[in-house]
Amino acid sequence: MAGAGDVNHDGYDDVIVGAGDYQNGQAGEGAAFVFLGSASGVADGNPSTAATVIQSDQAGAGLGRSVAGAGDVNGDGYDDVIVGAAAYDATLTNEGAAFIFLGGPSGIQSGNPSSAATRLYGGVAGAAFGTSVAGAGDVNGDGYADVIVGAPTPGAAYVFHGGPTGIADATGPTATTQITGGSDSFGTSVAGAGDVNGDGFADVIVGAPNFSATQNAEGGAFVYFGSALGVPNSSEASADVRLVSGQASALLGQSVASAGDVNKDGGADVIVGAYLYETNPPTDNDEGVAFVYYGVPEPGALGAPLAAIAALLWLRGRDRS
């Protein structure tokens, strides 16, 4: 689930909720539901009371396992949403897909892939493209919101640029930006990072929970800076910032997100989950930790984590033993 922005421009933010195993005609087709905000908030409800219902109409597609607000990709004043379907078959088996649906005066219309404003496909069989989707912010400063999509099976993340007509249909291999990783689940999580270095361009962050630097499967998260041309084609090895857990099997990068500017220094901050990190091994039994990293309003900089290194803040999960 995610914030959807204000899809009907009524001054209230809205939310989107995915249900990857939902079925209404096809088993496991998946669905996503948009619920509108109001003066009294978002009302209690269920799929039948959602303002918008989006279904894949394809058995086993798993649409809705990832959902996100896309920002305003076409600059019409209405926020849009992006929905992933990692097992969707377009022309290739399990290539995966992500669909963008546009906001408007009455919000987002109910629909399916055929009614999406944009259809993005993996372009590689078994890519699991759409496992993670997110709004990327405006990575090239042209005034239009961009999106990022992860495909962890080949280990990649792709950025697609918005414009006056929105985002054009595309595939991973034809994306504006292609970021390649390894066989370490790179692309399991993706997010807009905000402007972590204060250069005026939004940046992105990509998680690879099985990344191994000095420890096996310690996990990693990789930040890539935007610019006047957007985020350049890149790789795991050439990330602008690399964050690792330093603990074997911690799976850092299972989830990544922008944290806003938590210390009001002008640089956006990020938060990264390490699903199996232990603060006091071996007694903590894979409790899990979330690390907050400070952005620094100086090009090329990102601050130290507030847990483990700076020891100022750490968010502990519960002991799952």
Side-chain angles (χ1 to χ4, degrees):
M1 52 191 172
D6 185 0
V7 300
N8 59 347
H9 198 57
D10 64 353
Y12 300 99
D13 285 332
D14 311 309
V15 298
I16 182 169
V17 181
D21 291 324
Y22 186 85
Q23 56 187 48
N24 182 24
Q26 291 82 24
E29 62 176 308
F33 308 93
V34 178
F35 297 87
L36 299 181
S38 68
S40 55
V42 176
D44 292 343
N46 55 53
S48 69
T49 62
T52 304
V53 180
I54 299 167
Q55 301 176 75
S56 77
D57 291 342
Q58 183 182 102
L63 182 140
R65 292 192 189 281
S66 57
V67 297
D72 184 2
V73 301
N74 62 344
D76 65 353
Y78 300 95
D79 284 325
D80 313 311
V81 298
I82 181 169
V83 181
Y88 191 87
D89 299 340
T91 59
L92 300 169
T93 302
N94 291 336
E95 63 178 304
F99 305 102
I100 297 174
F101 296 85
L102 300 181
S106 57
I108 292 171
Q109 300 301 306
S110 294
N112 55 39
S114 67
S115 62
T118 302
R119 289 168 286 277
L120 305 172
Y121 299 129
V124 176
F129 179 94
T131 293
S132 52
V133 298
D138 185 1
V139 299
N140 61 344
D142 65 353
Y144 299 97
D146 310 311
V147 299
I148 182 170
V149 181
T153 300
Y158 306 95
V159 179
F160 302 87
H161 287 178
T165 58
I167 293 174
D169 292 346
T171 64
T174 63
T176 308
T177 299
Q178 302 172 41
I179 307 170
T180 57
S183 57
D184 51 16
S185 303
F186 184 88
T188 292
S189 57
V190 298
D195 183 5
V196 301
N197 61 347
D199 65 355
F201 300 99
D203 310 311
V204 298
I205 183 170
V206 182
N210 289 309
F211 179 77
S212 300
T214 60
Q215 304 290 328
N216 183 56
E218 62 182 299
F222 305 84
V223 179
Y224 300 86
F225 295 154
S227 70
L229 297 177
V231 176
N233 290 334
S234 192
S235 68
E236 197 172 66
S238 58
D240 292 296
V241 179
R242 186 181 76 169
L243 309 169
V244 296
S245 77
Q247 183 180 103
S249 302
L251 302 185
L252 183 134
Q254 186 72 31
S255 56
V256 297
S258 171
D261 184 2
V262 302
N263 60 344
K264 295 295 183 183
D265 66 351
D269 310 312
V270 297
I271 184 167
V272 181
Y275 180 57
L276 298 181
Y277 192 92
E278 298 178 353
T279 55
N280 186 29
T283 60
D284 290 326
N285 293 308
D286 303 335
E287 61 179 333
V289 172
F291 295 96
V292 176
Y293 298 82
Y294 283 158
V296 179
E298 300 174 1
L302 188 68
L306 302 186
I309 297 177
L312 298 176
L313 171 67
W314 51 279
L315 310 173
R316 300 180 61 175
R318 63 183 179 86
D319 186 326
R320 289 194 299 276
S321 61

